[in-house]
Amino acid sequence: MLLAVVAMIFLVIFQIAKASEYVNVLKGEKKSREQANRINAFLMLGFLVVGLAGAYWCHKVLEPQTLFPQGSASKEGEQIDFMFKVTLTVTGIVFLATQICLFVFSFLYQEKEGRKVFFLPHNNKLEMIWTIIPAIALTVLVVIGLRHWFKITGDPPKNAMVVEITGQQFGWTYRYPGADGVIGKRSYKLINPEANNGLGQDWNDKANLDDKMPTKMFLVKDKPVKLVIGSKDVIHDVGLPHFRLKMDAVPGIPTTLWFTPKWTTKEMRERLGNPDFEFEIVCDQLCGQSHYAMRGVIEVLTQEEFDMEMAKVKPNYFAAFPDKDPANQKPAEAAPADSSKSVTKAGGAPTGKTSR
Ligand SMILES: [Cu+2]
């Protein structure tokens, strides 16, 4: 059916073309060319008006569907939004000016009896103007962007918390430093999912014993967070659209990024009138078959709520060594603090079993 319609349309166009060819022969070639020229000149103006109206209409319809109207959910992201708007304004002005010139000039300087072509082979002044002005504009934009880049990839404020996020095909693992504030060492050689050590935590490093790995990323409102980003296989990318940030997750090269959440998840749900709203992590690097499914959830809480949530999460050490978990021990026995002696022995154990 569709094919028949397409074939019919082609046939109609073909017939019209053929008919107009015969008309041209009857009218004389020069006259019909002049007429076609005039029609095309007016069509140029039509394209300009329809095109600009279309661009404006698309903006009206699509802009509310983007994340722009809800504002940046991080303080650092406000600067990104600002830069985005400046870039759009500058390029928008250039776009309007060039498009209007292009189509209006085509109309104004259409073929006319007695008009001669003005020949302009070279003009140094003109070359200077259209090289130097864009160069200055782009330099300003790049310098503003670079300053911000150095800020968010540099040292975070003193009160910042640290969260490690590791990508793999296809999901994210979040690791918190625990009470000591230090994230334990890890090595790809120690990765052993069967022994509940998916990140390759080195159990000889005491800093690992209290590291917690919740299934969501919990953050605290108004508290800067530094993400230490890594990958276990291919290049992924921690995309944080609500916070206006993203950073590649590269195997073997930890990358960092810090930002400050502005609203809790609860506040965001009220602001947007959407009780199901979640801050999302999306993988922004095409990383394989189930790339689209690499969704992570960030829950922004108040400090008290955060402390309560984290208290519910057990250190991963207890998942790797269930017998060290005080919950599995007789009440008479002591807390895991003195288990560190036997850790030395247990620490090396997963290496032998590693499948890689
Ligand atoms: Cu990915």
Side-chain angles (χ1 to χ4, degrees), residues 237-252:
D237 188 297
V238 179
L240 307 165
H242 302 101
F243 301 100
R244 311 291 198 247
L245 300 165
K246 56 179 257 163
M247 179 61 75
D248 272 2
V250 187

Side-chain angles (χ1 to χ4, degrees), residues 236 283 285 287 294:
H236 300 275
C283 184
Q285 191 72 256
C287 60
M294 272 186 82

